[in-house]
Amino acid sequence: MNNKYINNHIILGVVTAALFSTFIYLEHFGIISKTLNTLLGISAFVLLLYIPKKAILSTGFFIGLFWFYWVGYSFEYQGLGFMTPIITFAFGLLYLLFFLPLYFTDKAYIRALLLFGLSFLAPLDWNWMQLELPFVDSYIGIHKYQFAALLAALSLPSLINDKRYKYTPLLLLLLAINYGYKEQNSAPLKIKLVDTDIKQNVKWTPQALKPTVDMIFTEIKKAQQEGYDLIIFPESVFPLYMNRNPALLRTLLKASHGITIVAGALLSENFKHYNVTYMFQNGEYKIAKKLVLVPFGEYIPLPKFAQKIINETFFGGASDFITAKEPTDFLIKGVKFRNAICYEATTDKLYQGDVKYMIAMSNNAWFAPSIEPTLQNLLLKYYARKYGVTIYHSANYKGSGIIK
């Protein structure tokens, strides 16, 4: 009897987690239905508010797995492939703890308050769990006031005993409806986004360097002939420290008289390493350093003593990239673009100030094959619509496109 009781709670948790995650997998397989996403999202939050307390534990664990099972894939390329299942399990535990506050109450209105509070948190600086994200392609809006209205509409009926008025709080769903987002316009330039598919285990090998550079210049020449104003390449498309290659710099500067070139590379400066974007235009160039690093991939979000131990033990000193102090804007043919490199394009910091257009570049090959590019794309939609920004995204291994 006890085993059956436990199994039922686990199954209910898995169902809740699945409803909360299905929109990602539908998008991954090209199925985009606002109606379906709305129904699935509302159903998921109804269950989060009303399921038994013990089911919350498996709900949080499986949400962590369904959303982030792929994070550990990148460890393979750092000689730590044995850690992949450990990292996957750790993300399950992390989100079990994230949703754990719901376990301590069975009152729906208190859970609603807790969920609203959790929507502001990013455990270990990892902010890809946006509780509003299931509604990014739905009839429900993604702003905080709409999320609050949704939670209120679904939880307040539990406080009303009079059957005649029990479901009147559902009228609050009218406040949660998506009535449209800020206006998003296309930049007044002809822009070419280059998407590549260079395997991560090949990308940094000496044999891959010449074919990669040849491909880049072929794309530049073709784009120039086709009349493009701007060509954008993915993150670290040049698998090298650009400032240590003066001949390559000169060639790019020469090519930039015909077309503006934006491409990712590395920068070594004063014994420090930077993940950067180079913008070549009219025989000159500008560098944009990354502002927000990837937790555990480029920095360790722990106290300094733990950072040093983990960095040296597991990453061989690789997670030591240095950041810029503020976002970088490129002025390209009179149009201002905010620069964003991969993870930072899905953080609020990069959208502060006067931002209409963003150039985002990613290397998603770290996580191939997985749903990571799909989840990233959904998050980019979330931020683009939240702030009214049009994003021009160039990626290695899936995800390139204009995002509004």
Side-chain angles (χ1 to χ4, degrees):
M1 184 70 177
N2 287 337
N3 287 339
K4 183 178 180 182
Y5 179 78
I6 293 170
N7 288 338
N8 286 343
H9 282 92
I10 292 174
I11 292 169
L12 185 55
V14 172
V15 170
T16 305
L19 288 172
F20 192 77
S21 311
T22 300
F23 76 102
I24 304 172
Y25 292 85
L26 290 174
E27 175 98 5
H28 187 71
F29 291 105
I31 302 171
I32 302 174
S33 168
K34 287 188 176 183
T35 301
L36 189 55
N37 287 341
T38 302
L39 294 174
L40 289 169
I42 290 176
S43 299
F45 279 102
V46 168
L47 288 175
L48 280 169
L49 293 170
Y50 290 99
I51 57 175
K53 292 195 289 185
K54 289 185 178 179
I56 290 293
L57 302 179
S58 54
T59 296
F61 182 81
F62 283 100
I63 286 175
L65 295 189
F66 292 157
W67 282 51
F68 303 121
Y69 70 88
W70 46 267
V71 173
Y73 286 12
S74 63
F75 284 72
E76 177 185 345
Y77 306 108
Q78 302 181 59
L80 300 167
F82 70 92
M83 289 194 65
T84 297
I86 298 172
I87 297 300
T88 300
F89 185 75
F91 265 82
L93 288 180
L94 178 64
Y95 285 96
L96 183 156
L97 294 174
F98 180 81
F99 287 99
L100 186 60
L102 305 185
Y103 172 83
F104 296 101
T105 180
D106 55 8
K107 297 185 184 302
Y109 72 95
I110 296 179
R111 286 190 183 181
L113 291 171
L114 289 171
L115 282 168
F116 189 70
L118 289 172
S119 73
F120 292 92
L121 298 183
L124 298 178
D125 285 349
W126 179 251
N127 74 329
W128 276 26
M129 175 56 69
Q130 297 292 337
L131 294 182
E132 304 94 322
L133 195 62
F135 299 110
V136 73
D137 276 319
S138 77
Y139 292 111
I140 302 295
I142 58 170
H143 294 295
K144 289 296 182 188
Y145 78 88
Q146 293 166 317
F147 186 51
L150 172 79
L151 293 173
L154 299 180
S155 63
L156 291 180
S158 66
L159 294 175
I160 301 174
N161 295 321
D162 191 327
K163 292 183 179 180
R164 292 173 299 173
Y165 305 108
K166 189 171 185 63
Y167 296 105
T168 53
L170 291 178
L171 292 173
L172 289 171
L173 287 174
L174 294 173
L175 297 177
I177 291 174
N178 172 23
Y179 294 103
Y181 296 112
K182 294 180 180 179
E183 185 178 3
Q184 296 163 284
N185 299 311
S186 298
L189 299 175
K190 189 176 181 182
I191 300 172
K192 181 171 185 178
L193 299 172
V194 178
D195 58 325
T196 58
D197 191 8
I198 304 171
K199 303 290 187 291
Q200 190 63 27
N201 62 343
V202 172
K203 183 177 177 62
W204 298 94
T205 61
Q207 301 92 319
L209 181 57
K210 186 177 186 303
T212 299
V213 173
D214 288 345
M215 175 274 295
I216 291 169
F217 281 103
T218 297
E219 291 287 350
I220 291 171
K221 184 177 180 180
K222 184 179 177 182
Q224 186 177 357
Q225 291 171 344
E226 293 174 351
Y228 284 93
D229 300 299
L230 167 64
I231 184 169
I232 303 171
F233 290 94
E235 176 187 11
S236 63
V237 68
F238 285 102
L240 47 77
Y241 289 96
M242 181 70 76
N243 60 320
R244 293 179 181 173
N245 289 267
L248 181 58
L249 273 172
R250 287 194 295 270
T251 306
L252 286 163
L253 288 170
K254 183 178 179 180
S256 73
H257 286 287
I259 186 172
T260 300
I261 304 160
V262 174
L266 299 180
L267 172 71
S268 179
E269 187 177 79
N270 298 323
F271 303 103
K272 296 178 180 179
H273 308 300
Y274 296 89
N275 187 1
V276 303
T277 301
Y278 277 81
M279 190 272 287
F280 299 90
Q281 183 172 233
N282 299 326
E284 298 179 345
Y285 72 87
K286 182 177 180 179
I287 297 173
K289 296 175 181 177
K290 200 169 186 181
L291 180 71
V292 183
L293 299 181
V294 181
F296 290 103
E298 294 173 329
Y299 88 105
I300 309 299
L302 295 172
K304 287 192 178 296
F305 74 90
Q307 287 181 6
K308 185 175 182 181
I309 293 171
I310 293 174
N311 193 21
E312 292 179 356
T313 303
F314 294 104
F315 296 98
S319 295
D320 60 351
F321 284 95
I322 308 300
T323 64
K325 294 182 179 180
E326 58 185 19
T328 300
D329 293 325
F330 292 134
L331 190 63
I332 299 174
K333 301 186 184 301
V335 182
K336 187 170 73 171
F337 291 84
R338 173 64 49 87
N339 179 75
I341 303 172
C342 196
Y343 177 74
E344 63 181 1
T346 57
T347 64
D348 290 290
K349 285 184 180 180
L350 267 289
Y351 295 84
Q352 303 307 308
D354 179 22
V355 185
K356 289 184 179 179
Y357 311 114
M358 176 178 285
I359 290 173
M361 51 180 61
S362 303
N363 176 22
N364 293 327
W366 289 101
F367 309 106
S370 75
I371 61 161
E372 184 271 342
T374 303
L375 180 55
Q376 180 192 49
N377 186 269
L378 288 164
L379 285 158
L380 290 173
K381 284 184 186 178
Y382 170 83
Y383 283 97
R385 293 170 182 177
K386 181 179 178 180
Y387 290 101
V389 174
T390 300
I391 303 173
Y392 295 86
H393 184 217
S394 176
N396 180 45
Y397 176 69
K398 298 183 181 180
S400 296
I402 300 173
I403 298 168
K404 293 183 177 182

